[in-house]
């Protein structure tokens, strides 16, 4: 039986959660996007040093790096309260697709790094598959953030090299107000 007071109370309980999710997304993505922007990490790197020169970047790698950074930048501006679960899933899927294309374009030059990127992309796909509604979006915020962070961190050495030799790669964007 529908009761208007219960409906209002449910809406009031969800509104702070959605607002928290949206602001949390912006904050988490600010941190995550720093990973793609070439900031230094305080933890030791297990990734072998890159042996390719910036001049060796192929047109395919430059294009894939541009598309990856564009997808990452677009994700920063996603407002879960406006686009809902499907919009968030779409933005995450765009990052996964761009990451897959980046891995493919980078395979010859960055095989060890591509293996890690592919692993993180599989994890992101599993996370995307677990999102079914606004409640799952709210409850899986930590998993979403962790999956995106893993993709960003795995792509970082490839993106750092691509950025050095590919002027078409956009800079990292941070959420408004960061």
């Amino acid at each position: 039986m529908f009761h208007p007071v219960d409906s209002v109370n449910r809406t009031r309980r969800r509104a702070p959660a959605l607002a928290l999710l949206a602001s949390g997304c912006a904050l988490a993505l600010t941190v995550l996007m720093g990973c793609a922007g070439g900031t230094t990490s305080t933890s030791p790197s297990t990734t072998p040093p890159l042996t390719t020169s910036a001049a060796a970047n192929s047109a395919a790698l430059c294009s894939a790096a541009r598309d990856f950074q564009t997808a990452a930048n677009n994700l920063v501006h996603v407002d879960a309260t406006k686009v809902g679960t499907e919009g968030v899933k779409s933005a995450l899927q765009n990052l996964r697709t761009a990451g897959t294309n980046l891995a493919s374009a980078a395979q010859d030059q960055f095989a060890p790094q591509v293996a890690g990127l592919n692993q993180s992309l599989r994890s992101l796909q599993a996370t995307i598959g677990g999102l079914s509604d606004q409640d799952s979006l709210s409850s899986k915020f930590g998993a979403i953030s962790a999956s995106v962070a893993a993709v960003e961190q795995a792509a970082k050495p490839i993106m750092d090299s691509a950025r050095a030799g590919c002027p078409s790669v956009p800079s990292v964007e941070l959420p408004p107000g960061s």
Side-chain angles (χ1 to χ4, degrees), residues 127 139-148:
T127 301
S139 68
K140 294 182 181 183
F141 176 71
I144 295 166
S145 296
S147 290
V148 171

Side-chain angles (χ1 to χ4, degrees), residues 6-7 15 23-24 40 47-48 55 58 60 63 65 83 99-101 114-115 119 145 149 158 172:
D6 287 342
S7 177
S23 64
T40 56
T47 305
S58 69
S63 177
V83 300
T100 299
N101 293 339
V114 167
Q119 181 179 358
S145 296
I158 300 167
V172 174

Side-chain angles (χ1 to χ4, degrees), residues 88-160:
V88 172
K89 284 172 70 172
S90 177
L92 292 170
Q93 189 63 38
N94 289 343
L95 181 67
R96 191 196 70 77
T97 299
T100 299
N101 293 339
L102 179 64
S104 178
Q107 181 61 46
D108 291 341
Q109 292 175 281
F110 306 100
Q113 293 81 12
V114 167
L117 178 55
N118 282 330
Q119 181 179 358
S120 66
L121 291 168
R122 284 189 294 275
S123 176
L124 178 61
Q125 183 59 43
T127 301
I128 294 167
L131 300 176
S132 58
D133 57 22
Q134 199 71 28
D135 289 336
S136 72
L137 186 62
S138 297
S139 68
K140 294 182 181 183
F141 176 71
I144 295 166
S145 296
S147 290
V148 171
V151 169
E152 293 286 341
Q153 191 60 37
K156 185 180 182 324
I158 300 167
M159 291 299 294
D160 286 349

Side-chain angles (χ1 to χ4, degrees), residues 12-72:
R12 285 184 185 154
R13 283 192 303 258
R14 281 190 184 159
L18 295 176
L20 178 62
L21 176 64
S23 64
C25 280
L27 175 62
L29 291 174
T30 299
V31 172
L32 297 176
M33 294 315 300
C35 294
T39 59
T40 56
S41 172
T42 56
S43 62
S45 175
T46 58
T47 305
L50 300 178
T51 58
T52 185
S53 69
N57 289 337
S58 69
L61 178 59
C62 289
S63 177
R66 181 192 66 235
D67 293 346
F68 180 82
Q69 189 59 61
T70 298

